[in-house]
mmCIF file of all heavy atoms in Angstrom:
data_model
loop_
_atom_site.group_PDB
_atom_site.id
_atom_site.type_symbol
_atom_site.label_atom_id
_atom_site.label_comp_id
_atom_site.label_asym_id
_atom_site.label_seq_id
_atom_site.Cartn_x
_atom_site.Cartn_y
_atom_site.Cartn_z
ATOM 1 N N GLY A 457 -26.689 9.705 33.122
ATOM 2 C CA GLY A 457 -27.438 9.292 34.384
ATOM 3 C C GLY A 457 -27.003 8.007 35.015
ATOM 4 O O GLY A 457 -27.589 7.674 36.059
ATOM 5 N N LEU A 460 -21.769 6.582 39.011
ATOM 6 C CA LEU A 460 -20.326 6.637 38.746
ATOM 7 C C LEU A 460 -19.773 5.161 38.675
ATOM 8 O O LEU A 460 -20.071 4.325 39.457
ATOM 9 C CB LEU A 460 -19.627 7.395 39.889
ATOM 10 C CG LEU A 460 -18.157 7.585 39.633
ATOM 11 C CD1 LEU A 460 -17.855 8.559 38.497
ATOM 12 C CD2 LEU A 460 -17.467 8.149 40.942
ATOM 13 N N GLY A 484 -20.416 4.009 28.287
ATOM 14 C CA GLY A 484 -20.887 5.380 28.434
ATOM 15 C C GLY A 484 -21.823 5.462 29.722
ATOM 16 O O GLY A 484 -22.156 4.437 30.276
ATOM 17 N N GLY A 511 -9.646 4.551 20.548
ATOM 18 C CA GLY A 511 -10.789 4.345 19.881
ATOM 19 C C GLY A 511 -11.978 5.182 20.444
ATOM 20 O O GLY A 511 -11.708 5.958 21.375
ATOM 21 N N VAL A 520 -27.712 -0.437 22.992
ATOM 22 C CA VAL A 520 -26.826 -0.738 21.864
ATOM 23 C C VAL A 520 -25.471 0.106 22.000
ATOM 24 O O VAL A 520 -25.482 1.218 22.447
ATOM 25 C CB VAL A 520 -27.458 -0.294 20.499
ATOM 26 C CG1 VAL A 520 -26.504 -0.513 19.299
ATOM 27 C CG2 VAL A 520 -28.751 -1.096 20.261
ATOM 28 N N ILE A 561 8.127 -8.574 7.025
ATOM 29 C CA ILE A 561 8.914 -8.063 8.082
ATOM 30 C C ILE A 561 9.986 -7.162 7.590
ATOM 31 O O ILE A 561 10.775 -7.611 6.804
ATOM 32 C CB ILE A 561 9.525 -9.221 8.920
ATOM 33 C CG1 ILE A 561 8.557 -10.162 9.450
ATOM 34 C CG2 ILE A 561 10.306 -8.697 10.142
ATOM 35 C CD1 ILE A 561 9.060 -11.441 10.164
ATOM 36 N N GLU A 562 9.813 -5.860 7.995
ATOM 37 C CA GLU A 562 10.850 -4.887 7.608
ATOM 38 C C GLU A 562 12.029 -5.177 8.439
ATOM 39 O O GLU A 562 11.926 -5.626 9.597
ATOM 40 C CB GLU A 562 10.356 -3.502 7.852
ATOM 41 C CG GLU A 562 8.832 -3.296 7.566
ATOM 42 C CD GLU A 562 8.564 -2.736 6.182
ATOM 43 O OE1 GLU A 562 9.527 -2.051 5.597
ATOM 44 O OE2 GLU A 562 7.454 -2.837 5.627
ATOM 45 N N LYS A 576 -22.647 -4.144 20.034
ATOM 46 C CA LYS A 576 -23.164 -4.944 21.200
ATOM 47 C C LYS A 576 -24.577 -4.601 21.470
ATOM 48 O O LYS A 576 -24.943 -3.431 21.387
ATOM 49 C CB LYS A 576 -22.182 -4.672 22.396
ATOM 50 C CG LYS A 576 -22.521 -5.590 23.615
ATOM 51 C CD LYS A 576 -22.052 -4.948 24.899
ATOM 52 C CE LYS A 576 -20.535 -4.804 24.997
ATOM 53 N NZ LYS A 576 -20.062 -4.190 26.248
ATOM 54 N N TYR A 643 -16.659 -16.558 20.466
ATOM 55 C CA TYR A 643 -16.513 -17.485 19.277
ATOM 56 C C TYR A 643 -15.516 -16.922 18.321
ATOM 57 O O TYR A 643 -15.917 -15.965 17.640
ATOM 58 C CB TYR A 643 -17.884 -17.733 18.663
ATOM 59 C CG TYR A 643 -17.939 -18.753 17.559
ATOM 60 C CD1 TYR A 643 -17.737 -20.103 17.878
ATOM 61 C CD2 TYR A 643 -18.256 -18.483 16.298
ATOM 62 C CE1 TYR A 643 -17.788 -21.080 16.900
ATOM 63 C CE2 TYR A 643 -18.325 -19.303 15.259
ATOM 64 C CZ TYR A 643 -18.085 -20.737 15.635
ATOM 65 O OH TYR A 643 -18.150 -21.648 14.611
ATOM 66 N N ARG A 665 -14.361 -19.585 23.379
ATOM 67 C CA ARG A 665 -13.320 -19.500 24.432
ATOM 68 C C ARG A 665 -13.838 -18.658 25.621
ATOM 69 O O ARG A 665 -14.644 -17.773 25.401
ATOM 70 C CB ARG A 665 -12.113 -18.641 23.844
ATOM 71 C CG ARG A 665 -11.487 -19.309 22.646
ATOM 72 C CD ARG A 665 -10.340 -18.452 22.208
ATOM 73 N NE ARG A 665 -9.895 -18.844 20.969
ATOM 74 C CZ ARG A 665 -8.963 -18.177 20.182
ATOM 75 N NH1 ARG A 665 -8.436 -17.032 20.670
ATOM 76 N NH2 ARG A 665 -8.555 -18.592 18.999
ATOM 77 N N TYR A 684 -9.289 -12.794 33.017
ATOM 78 C CA TYR A 684 -8.692 -14.040 32.331
ATOM 79 C C TYR A 684 -9.330 -14.159 30.994
ATOM 80 O O TYR A 684 -10.528 -13.962 30.827
ATOM 81 C CB TYR A 684 -8.994 -15.236 33.161
ATOM 82 C CG TYR A 684 -8.670 -16.494 32.446
ATOM 83 C CD1 TYR A 684 -7.396 -16.994 32.316
ATOM 84 C CD2 TYR A 684 -9.709 -17.227 31.776
ATOM 85 C CE1 TYR A 684 -7.143 -18.224 31.645
ATOM 86 C CE2 TYR A 684 -9.425 -18.381 31.053
ATOM 87 C CZ TYR A 684 -8.167 -18.806 30.997
ATOM 88 O OH TYR A 684 -7.953 -19.993 30.331
ATOM 89 N N HIS A 687 -6.909 -18.202 25.294
ATOM 90 C CA HIS A 687 -6.433 -18.082 23.939
ATOM 91 C C HIS A 687 -6.167 -19.454 23.425
ATOM 92 O O HIS A 687 -6.153 -20.444 24.196
ATOM 93 C CB HIS A 687 -5.123 -17.279 23.839
ATOM 94 C CG HIS A 687 -5.394 -15.752 23.931
ATOM 95 N ND1 HIS A 687 -4.531 -14.812 23.486
ATOM 96 C CD2 HIS A 687 -6.465 -15.100 24.332
ATOM 97 C CE1 HIS A 687 -5.070 -13.649 23.586
ATOM 98 N NE2 HIS A 687 -6.261 -13.829 24.193
ATOM 99 N N ASP A 692 1.117 -22.857 16.861
ATOM 100 C CA ASP A 692 2.197 -23.614 17.539
ATOM 101 C C ASP A 692 2.860 -24.545 16.533
ATOM 102 O O ASP A 692 2.738 -25.793 16.618
ATOM 103 C CB ASP A 692 1.690 -24.226 18.769
ATOM 104 C CG ASP A 692 2.927 -24.784 19.642
ATOM 105 O OD1 ASP A 692 4.003 -24.416 19.221
ATOM 106 O OD2 ASP A 692 2.653 -25.658 20.432
ATOM 107 N N VAL A 699 9.359 -19.289 -0.754
ATOM 108 C CA VAL A 699 10.449 -18.902 -1.701
ATOM 109 C C VAL A 699 10.096 -19.391 -3.101
ATOM 110 O O VAL A 699 9.812 -20.590 -3.264
ATOM 111 C CB VAL A 699 11.735 -19.601 -1.196
ATOM 112 C CG1 VAL A 699 12.881 -19.222 -2.236
ATOM 113 C CG2 VAL A 699 12.065 -19.199 0.161
ATOM 114 N N ALA A 700 9.989 -18.517 -4.039
ATOM 115 C CA ALA A 700 9.628 -18.807 -5.310
ATOM 116 C C ALA A 700 8.386 -19.725 -5.459
ATOM 117 O O ALA A 700 8.308 -20.705 -6.117
ATOM 118 C CB ALA A 700 10.833 -19.448 -5.984
ATOM 119 N N LEU A 702 7.254 -21.796 -3.506
ATOM 120 C CA LEU A 702 7.304 -23.064 -2.622
ATOM 121 C C LEU A 702 7.126 -22.706 -1.197
ATOM 122 O O LEU A 702 7.674 -21.785 -0.692
ATOM 123 C CB LEU A 702 8.738 -23.713 -2.785
ATOM 124 C CG LEU A 702 8.987 -24.275 -4.152
ATOM 125 C CD1 LEU A 702 10.511 -24.681 -4.230
ATOM 126 C CD2 LEU A 702 8.180 -25.455 -4.431
ATOM 127 N N LEU A 716 17.378 -18.646 11.663
ATOM 128 C CA LEU A 716 16.467 -17.805 12.370
ATOM 129 C C LEU A 716 16.647 -18.109 13.919
ATOM 130 O O LEU A 716 16.780 -17.095 14.680
ATOM 131 C CB LEU A 716 14.984 -18.014 12.076
ATOM 132 C CG LEU A 716 14.520 -17.385 10.688
ATOM 133 C CD1 LEU A 716 13.112 -17.905 10.404
ATOM 134 C CD2 LEU A 716 14.554 -15.913 10.755
ATOM 135 N N LEU A 744 -13.873 10.980 33.320
ATOM 136 C CA LEU A 744 -12.583 10.347 33.153
ATOM 137 C C LEU A 744 -12.425 9.108 34.012
ATOM 138 O O LEU A 744 -12.909 9.022 35.163
ATOM 139 C CB LEU A 744 -11.501 11.367 33.757
ATOM 140 C CG LEU A 744 -10.142 10.908 33.675
ATOM 141 C CD1 LEU A 744 -9.600 10.848 32.195
ATOM 142 C CD2 LEU A 744 -9.195 11.898 34.439
#
Side-chain angles (χ1 to χ4, degrees):
Chain A
L460 186 68
V520 175
I561 304 174
E562 322 263 341
K576 188 200 291 177
Y643 185 64
R665 301 180 192 171
Y684 166 83
H687 281 202
D692 188 14
V699 181
L702 293 170
L716 284 172
L744 180 69

